[in-house]
């Protein structure tokens, strides 16, 4: 699958929604897992602010690779962020977009 590296240099990144389990199948409650490690996958909604523009993106990351308290508003670093184009068909409708995956999401909040 094609992956496009995302440069976050100069961007302000903060948690918009705390981490939640990523569901593979919402009907059955099946949790998505990383195919290489077998770890559960999480999604973190991150506010991405750069050049006067702000957008919330959902970033997928393996559960063990989330560090620190990621409450809403917490500044974060996204290590190894990539965008992946996707396309599927659902009920006869073609859809496409970008999904985001990071190697790690780390809180930058000062402790103490």
């Amino acid at each position: 699958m094609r992956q496009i590296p995302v440069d976050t240099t100069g961007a302000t990144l903060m948690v918009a929604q705390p981490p939640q389990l990523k569901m593979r199948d919402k009907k059955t409650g099946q949790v998505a897992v990383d195919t290489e490690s077998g770890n559960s996958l999480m999604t973190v909604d991150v506010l991405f602010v750069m050049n006067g523009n702000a957008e919330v993106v959902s970033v997928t990351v393996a559960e063990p690779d989330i560090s620190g308290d990621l409450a809403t508003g917490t500044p974060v670093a996204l290590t190894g962020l990539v965008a992946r184009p996707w396309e599927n068909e659902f009920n006869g409708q073609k859809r496409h977009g970008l999904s985001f995956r990071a190697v790690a999401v780390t809180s930058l909040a000062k402790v103490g």
Side-chain angles (χ1 to χ4, degrees):
M1 179 182 286
R2 207 168 33 151
Q3 294 186 40
I4 305 162
V6 178
D7 182 6
T8 60
T9 305
T12 300
L13 307 167
M14 65 182 73
V15 176
Q17 287 284 355
Q20 298 179 8
L21 279 172
K22 181 173 182 163
M23 303 309 288
R24 180 176 176 91
D25 187 332
K26 291 179 183 178
K27 291 179 185 172
T28 65
Q30 182 183 12
V31 175
V33 296
D34 183 79
T35 55
E36 292 178 17
S37 68
N39 291 318
S40 295
L41 292 176
M42 306 291 285
T43 58
V44 182
D45 288 349
V46 175
L47 181 64
F48 192 107
V49 183
M50 182 178 257
N51 299 327
N53 297 309
E55 188 168 342
V56 175
V57 296
S58 286
V59 178
T60 300
V61 63
E63 190 170 19
D65 301 319
I66 294 175
S67 62
D69 181 24
L70 298 185
T72 300
T74 303
V76 292
L78 301 175
T79 304
L81 182 64
V82 295
R84 295 177 175 169
W86 60 267
E87 181 177 282
N88 65 23
E89 192 170 322
F90 184 72
N91 289 337
Q93 297 284 327
K94 283 197 174 189
R95 300 181 62 172
H96 63 277
L98 290 173
S99 64
F100 294 89
R101 176 81 188 249
V103 172
V105 177
T106 308
S107 169
L108 297 177
K110 306 245 187 285
V111 179

